[in-house]
Amino acid sequence: MTDKIDDLPINVSESSFSSSLSETNEEKIIQDTLQKLEEEEISSGIDEDEFDAKLFGIKKSTSSFQKESIKIYHQDSQLNLTPITSNKTISLLKIEKEIGNENEQEKEKEKEKGWKKEKEKKKELQTRLIKKKENENEHENESEKETSNKEIPNQKNAFSGKKDLLTPNQEKVFSLNKNKPPIPNRNNSRAKRRIRSTPISKKDEELIKNIIRNYLKTEEEKEGQGQGQEQKNEKEKENKKEYTQEKASDQKEVNFYQNSNQDLICEPLRIKYLVNENNVFFSKEVIYYYEMASKLNHTRVTGTLVLTNYKLFFFPSKWELFRSVNILSNPIIPLGNIARISKFNNQSFGNGDYTTGITIHCKNFQVVHFYYQNKKSRKEMLEMLFKNTFPLSIQLTFAYKHKKNHQIVDKGWLVYQPRLEFQRQGLPNENWKLSKLNAKYSLCSTYPQFLVFPKSMSNNDISVVSKYRSKGRLQILTWIHPKNGASITRSSQPKVGITQKACEEDQKMMKSILQASPNSKKLYIMDCRPKKNAMANRAKGAGYETIVDYPNCSITFLGIDNIHVMRESLNKIKNLCRQSATSGKKWLSALENTGWFSHIQKILYSSVKISKLINEESQSILVHCSDGWDRTAQICSFVQIFLDPYSRTIEGFEVLIEKEWLSFGHKFHQRIGQANSDYGNSQRSPVFLQWVDCVFQCINQFPTVFEFNEQFLIFILEHLFSLRFGTFLFNNDKERKTKQLSTRTYSLWTYINQNKKRFVNPFYQKKYIPIYPEYNIRDLLFWDNYYMKYLIPDELEKRKKFQKIDFSLEIKLQKLKKLSKEEIKLKNKLKKLETKLNQLKKN
């Protein structure tokens, strides 16, 4: 900043030098640079007329110039600087406060650095021009005339663009100032004398300098502001675009498949690769052997066995051999679906030439054989297959690789939200409260974070009850009847032991559950186990409730067998299906010996019994088994399917699985054997598969009540094993949260909800009524479309076509009957109207 007023920059016109410097290149360069500098910054002198003229041309100045007038008191005289935009006055102290702010001065200093550099360059250029002017005295008079004649039009050009923005009062002042004499040149000594004629104090001098500096900044920033605003607008537009893109990305559907050259496009089949799916190993000249049960003939095809990080599939060398392409002729096996891998030697399988090979046993009843001519290639394939099928950790499976570069929570993980689900049921209310006592899984590690308890129970009582129940799984509410207030709660067995010790807090919990449902007179305890098993558990320190310690309670044993019995029954079903594919002799007797239907009958019977108690008698129910995560989940979820129509929709069924099975801790990892080569593990059991089979029985008996179809259930079971999605990984809610499944894997519900058309039942009708399926064995059907899918595919396809045609005809007939009834009613109404008209005419 300059200390003297003489050093302040004054605008120098270019016209005085135009005639003398037009011939040289240096003069042109200097002239151009001066013009650029003057366009960026309008310099001004301290002459009063010039200062006033520039003030009149201000469009947008600082706040002090726009709103209020400024009075600067000199030692001898008074100088009034009054902007056009306002007539108010402001004191000198206020100006000093506004100008003396430390933050503004620091900002101004930073901006002045570039301003000073430009002034120094301009001064150098001006001195060079002045020297040349002194040497050329001949052109001096002509240049002065040109400046006097051209300076006024230059001012016109300077203010012409601003005149349109002035008010009518401002235009009058602008017209008066327009005819003033030209601004004097810096070299003119008279201008210097005029400036020095009025003595100014130091404070006033600093004020004037700041005012001029602010004015120059406004003039400099005019063009910069326009550019800055454009840049800001562009940035805002870009930010808006990014924001909208982020929203759109949330709303867009997830693309699970990659469009690349890896896709094997062949007639009549296309093998698609998923996102982040890569080839791992190829095994050429492999012979795939399969047999068609309906045709009783064997088929052998040569081709390439391809192993990726997600699946194993066979790619034949000649597609013409596949006259009927189906799931047998095209084995595509997800690695998570493989239960065990075995190799064989000296076995022909109908052909003595190829005795070396691999047999793959799958969890969905599929068995595949591949023959090798060379043992080395078989050995290499076995090593790679074991390494990728049974990794050391679940986090090495494809479910984590599938979403590797897209760590965003997809919508499927937000299908079930505990607060919203309980709000839908009308909770919390006067009798029930939503508790965060298990927010850190300190109360029970296998329960979810949010639990519903009776309001009369304190936190201390709840913590004592959790210690009394097995695995800390105390009584919690899972569903409440919307009309009569009857509840269904679930828990594990009590730790009664041989001494039959009781717990006061547990007794209080039972009383509070009964009191929370005002219409129920008794609390029914439904123990899913056979009574023998419950009594045997007393030797281990557990057992069941004694009625003496729990007044107004009754206990019933439902007699559903444990996980070991269910596993043996499913193995018998597998053997029966393989035998029946070749010979169907003694099918019914063999099916009865498996015991599968008797287990399904017990589950359906128990669920119907409990549903009637809740809906028709308004009684509250407590359901438990040993630990409360297998048979308890089956019964509680079935009661909601029977009584709650929301659970019979696609979304409601997803919420039901998330709540009753996943959040309440069904041990999917152990029951399915995820990425585990221990095929004979005693913890494996088809509990969830058995429940889905029971749902299939209900769909057959009530085909118009469920929004989803049979393919929906089959798709869920296929990806229960596939390890493509993270929905069924691990054993409980705590493990899924710690392993960050929602950000590192995709949800199965995301894919289903994006492809709902595949799973919607076209005959679905919303019916807000309870359903009670028949549970007699004669009313149950064997699920061919799932158990026999890989054994008799041709027969199943024929059955599907016939069932669709037959069922559609029945529904058309029903619609025609309804239409005919409506026609009869309309005809009767017309007859009545005609009779009334005739009577009116007669009258």
Side-chain angles (χ1 to χ4, degrees), residues 273-454:
Y273 277 66
L274 296 171
V275 174
N276 296 325
E277 182 182 3
N278 300 316
N279 291 324
V280 176
F281 189 74
F282 296 93
S283 185
K284 296 181 179 179
E285 296 182 357
V286 177
I287 297 174
Y288 170 53
Y289 169 87
Y290 69 96
E291 60 182 353
M292 299 294 291
S294 58
K295 296 179 181 179
L296 297 176
N297 58 355
H298 303 280
T299 304
R300 300 174 183 83
V301 182
T302 59
T304 303
L305 191 61
V306 183
L307 176 66
T308 70
N309 55 358
Y310 167 65
K311 62 176 177 281
L312 176 74
F313 65 91
F314 180 76
F315 189 71
S317 57
K318 294 181 180 180
W319 285 91
E320 292 82 5
L321 296 174
F322 288 111
R323 294 180 181 176
S324 60
V325 176
N326 51 32
I327 52 178
L328 283 181
S329 59
N330 176 38
I332 300 175
I333 306 168
L335 298 181
N337 200 8
I338 297 175
R340 61 190 177 99
I341 305 167
S342 62
K343 60 181 180 180
F344 57 85
N345 295 318
N346 299 323
Q347 292 184 15
S348 61
F349 283 94
N351 191 343
D353 297 332
Y354 305 104
T355 57
T356 301
I358 298 172
T359 301
I360 295 173
H361 300 268
C362 300
K363 297 173 184 176
N364 58 355
F365 292 27
Q366 188 178 10
V367 180
V368 184
H369 307 285
F370 296 106
Y371 290 90
Y372 280 84
Q373 295 180 351
N374 189 357
K375 290 185 179 181
K376 290 183 179 179
S377 57
R378 186 191 70 169
K379 183 179 179 181
E380 292 175 353
M381 173 57 80
L382 279 173
E383 289 177 356
M384 297 302 296
L385 196 57
F386 270 102
K387 183 179 178 180
N388 289 273
T389 304
F390 308 115
L392 298 175
S393 174
I394 298 179
Q395 297 179 8
L396 299 175
T397 57
F398 181 74
Y400 281 88
K401 297 173 184 177
H402 192 21
K403 198 180 180 181
K404 189 175 182 181
N405 299 324
H406 185 65
Q407 294 184 354
I408 298 173
V409 178
D410 49 302
K411 293 181 180 179
W413 293 109
L414 305 175
V415 165
Y416 171 62
Q417 298 182 25
R419 288 182 181 276
L420 296 177
E421 169 59 18
F422 289 125
Q423 283 177 8
R424 185 188 68 84
Q425 298 181 23
L427 299 169
N429 57 18
E430 297 176 353
N431 300 318
W432 299 92
K433 64 179 179 180
L434 184 63
S435 175
K436 297 181 180 179
L437 194 60
N438 199 38
K440 296 182 179 179
Y441 303 101
S442 57
L443 186 69
C444 178
S445 61
T446 58
Y447 267 174
Q449 291 177 311
F450 298 99
L451 303 173
V452 179
F453 297 108

Side-chain angles (χ1 to χ4, degrees), residues 147-188:
T147 53
S148 63
N149 293 325
K150 291 184 178 180
E151 221 161 20
I152 293 169
N154 283 333
Q155 286 181 0
K156 286 181 182 179
N157 292 327
F159 298 114
S160 62
K162 299 171 184 175
K163 185 177 178 181
D164 297 331
L165 301 171
L166 298 176
T167 60
N169 293 326
Q170 291 172 345
E171 289 180 1
K172 292 179 182 178
V173 183
F174 182 82
S175 63
L176 292 171
N177 289 318
K178 186 171 70 173
N179 298 323
K180 285 187 178 182
I183 297 169
N185 195 359
R186 190 180 185 120
N187 294 322
N188 194 353

Side-chain angles (χ1 to χ4, degrees), residues 161-221:
K162 299 171 184 175
K163 185 177 178 181
D164 297 331
L165 301 171
L166 298 176
T167 60
N169 293 326
Q170 291 172 345
E171 289 180 1
K172 292 179 182 178
V173 183
F174 182 82
S175 63
L176 292 171
N177 289 318
K178 186 171 70 173
N179 298 323
K180 285 187 178 182
I183 297 169
N185 195 359
R186 190 180 185 120
N187 294 322
N188 194 353
S189 60
R190 292 180 182 178
K192 292 180 181 179
R193 288 175 186 174
R194 284 180 67 185
I195 296 164
R196 293 176 183 174
S197 62
T198 56
I200 301 172
S201 65
K202 290 183 179 180
K203 290 183 179 179
D204 295 337
E205 186 178 349
E206 289 178 358
L207 284 171
I208 293 166
K209 287 179 183 179
N210 290 328
I211 291 165
I212 295 165
R213 186 181 62 192
N214 290 330
Y215 168 70
L216 292 173
K217 282 181 183 178
T218 56
E219 292 295 321
E220 288 175 4
E221 291 175 357

Side-chain angles (χ1 to χ4, degrees), residues 126 366 498 586 638 652 828:
Q126 288 175 356
Q366 188 178 10
I498 298 173
K586 298 182 180 180
F638 260 126
N828 292 328

Side-chain angles (χ1 to χ4, degrees), residues 136-154:
E136 298 175 354
N137 292 322
E138 295 177 357
H139 300 283
E140 195 171 17
N141 295 323
E142 295 177 359
S143 65
E144 288 177 357
K145 291 179 181 179
E146 290 176 358
T147 53
S148 63
N149 293 325
K150 291 184 178 180
E151 221 161 20
I152 293 169
N154 283 333

Side-chain angles (χ1 to χ4, degrees), residues 578-591:
R578 291 169 191 167
Q579 293 174 4
S580 63
T582 55
S583 62
K585 294 180 180 179
K586 298 182 180 180
W587 163 257
L588 295 176
S589 60
L591 182 61

